[in-house]
């Protein structure tokens, strides 16, 4: 990976279909964000009040999935104006909650909600950024956290490939000495197949993991699915655990559709 020049590195943060939570990870970084501002020039970040959506930048962070025809055109333009492109959050990396439309009748929902659904200009599917353009690095999470973002920026500035989290959430739980909710409480948990990074937030309060940080590098989704079923979950409930917010992540999508009886 090539290091950046001595001139100040320009970055941009772009929003696509999303809730803005991953952009807030920047703002919630507090003092660390001020330190980052000393290292880079923020050319576009509407959430922070800096607007220049057509700026040419060294690093473009993308939050959200591609859900409309306009977003299809916009992501192509951003890719052309960016040296590196980093997708942040589960919407950008795996479609997010809005990707539930991918396994349903995408035309039925607007018709049930809006009086004039013909004016809703959306695509039949919600897809990750990598389905449309080259992505140089992905940050998983719902939302991502400030430490992830800042570590990625610092790595890129130093010419180092950012370190991707590879272990499962179970390892994170064990280091924090948390009681396994799956073993102790019989609580369905996606921890065995989900990548670490969130700090084991849900298990730490006695709840099963929802897989916010996406599939771990090495996962045995079939074993977990059968265990969930043995715990009393219906086939549909097992499928829902895999398809909730990661329905475009290949490993989860394949397992989820299998338990829905819709093998690809």
């Amino acid at each position: 990976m090539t290091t950046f020049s001595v001139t100040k590195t320009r970055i941009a943060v772009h929003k696509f279909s999303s809730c803005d939570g991953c952009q807030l990870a920047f703002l919630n970084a507090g003092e660390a964000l001020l330190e980052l501002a000393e290292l880079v020039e923020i050319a576009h970040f509407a959430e922070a009040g800096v607007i220049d959506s057509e700026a040419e930048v060294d690093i473009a962070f993308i939050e959200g999935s591609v859900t409309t025809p306009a977003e299809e055109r916009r992501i192509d333009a951003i890719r052309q104006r960016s040296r590196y492109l980093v997708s942040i959050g589960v919407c950008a990396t795996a479609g997010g909650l809005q990707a539930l439309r991918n396994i349903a009748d995408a035309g039925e929902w607007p018709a049930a909600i809006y009086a004039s659904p013909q004016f809703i200009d959306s695509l039949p599917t919600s897809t990750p950024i990598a389905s449309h353009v080259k992505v140089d690095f992905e940050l998983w999470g719902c939302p991502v956290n400030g430490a992830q973002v800042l570590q990625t920026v610092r790595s890129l500035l130093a010419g180092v490939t950012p370190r991707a989290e590879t272990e499962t959430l179970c390892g994170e739980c064990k280091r924090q000495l948390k009681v396994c909710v799956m073993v102790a409480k019989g609580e369905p948990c996606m921890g065995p197949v989900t990548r670490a990074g969130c700090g084991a937030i849900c298990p730490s309060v006695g709840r099963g993991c929802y897989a916010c940080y996406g599939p771990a590098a090495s996962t045995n989704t079939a074993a977990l699915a059968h265990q969930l079923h043995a715990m009393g979950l219906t086939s549909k409930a097992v499928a829902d655990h895999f398809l909730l917010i990661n329905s475009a992540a290949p490993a989860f999508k394949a397992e989820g559709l299998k338990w829905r009886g819709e093998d690809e």
Side-chain angles (χ1 to χ4, degrees):
M1 182 172 288
T2 307
T3 55
F4 291 95
S5 66
V6 293
T7 57
K8 225 173 188 184
T9 299
R10 287 164 59 83
I11 71 170
V13 183
H14 294 275
K15 171 186 165 60
F16 282 66
S17 292
S18 60
C19 71
D20 286 23
C22 291
Q23 292 182 78
L24 290 176
F26 276 90
L27 300 180
N28 289 339
E31 291 186 7
L33 180 62
L34 298 178
E35 294 175 12
L36 177 64
E38 295 296 320
L39 301 175
V40 302
E41 174 191 349
I42 300 177
H44 172 74
F45 187 2
E47 191 86 6
V50 182
I51 301 177
D52 184 0
S53 60
E54 297 184 359
E56 293 191 2
V57 298
D58 296 295
I59 309 171
F61 289 94
I62 310 296
E63 177 197 70
S65 63
V66 175
T67 307
T68 68
E71 288 178 335
E72 281 187 309
R73 297 188 293 270
R74 188 156 64 93
I75 192 57
D76 286 333
I78 291 172
R79 175 71 268 190
Q80 293 173 19
R81 295 192 296 265
S82 308
R83 183 175 175 188
Y84 291 110
L85 191 145
V86 180
S87 57
I88 59 172
V90 71
C91 293
T93 55
L97 281 172
Q98 56 267 34
L100 289 171
R101 74 170 67 180
N102 300 357
I103 53 175
D105 185 342
E108 182 180 348
W109 291 357
I113 297 171
Y114 297 100
S116 302
Q118 66 271 24
F119 297 113
I120 305 299
D121 188 20
S122 62
L123 298 168
T125 58
S126 176
T127 45
I129 300 302
S131 296
H132 301 268
V133 296
K134 176 189 175 185
V135 171
D136 297 296
F137 194 70
E138 294 180 330
L139 292 179
W140 292 72
C142 186
V144 294
N145 60 64
Q148 284 177 287
V149 173
L150 295 173
Q151 183 268 331
T152 299
V153 173
R154 290 184 179 279
S155 295
L156 291 173
L157 291 177
V160 177
T161 300
R163 182 182 66 86
E165 186 61 73
T166 58
E167 74 166 356
T168 65
L169 184 70
C170 289
E172 199 161 26
C173 272
K174 288 179 171 62
R175 283 196 303 274
Q176 295 187 27
L177 304 179
K178 303 299 182 185
V179 175
C180 178
V181 297
M182 202 166 186
V183 173
K185 298 177 59 178
E187 183 86 11
C189 181
M190 293 292 286
V193 297
T194 299
R195 73 179 67 208
C198 68
I201 296 173
C202 290
S204 69
V205 294
R207 293 166 52 180
C209 167
Y210 290 91
C212 295
Y213 274 62
S218 177
T219 61
N220 189 341
T221 55
L224 178 61
H226 283 286
Q227 177 61 29
L228 294 175
H229 194 248
M231 291 169 63
L233 272 68
T234 64
S235 295
K236 179 182 182 302
V238 172
D240 289 346
H241 271 70
F242 286 95
L243 298 174
L244 177 62
I245 60 173
N246 286 286
S247 62
F252 283 5
K253 180 180 180 181
E255 196 65 39
L257 292 182
K258 182 169 69 177
W259 283 84
R260 280 172 56 107
E262 301 176 15
D263 296 75
E264 291 184 301

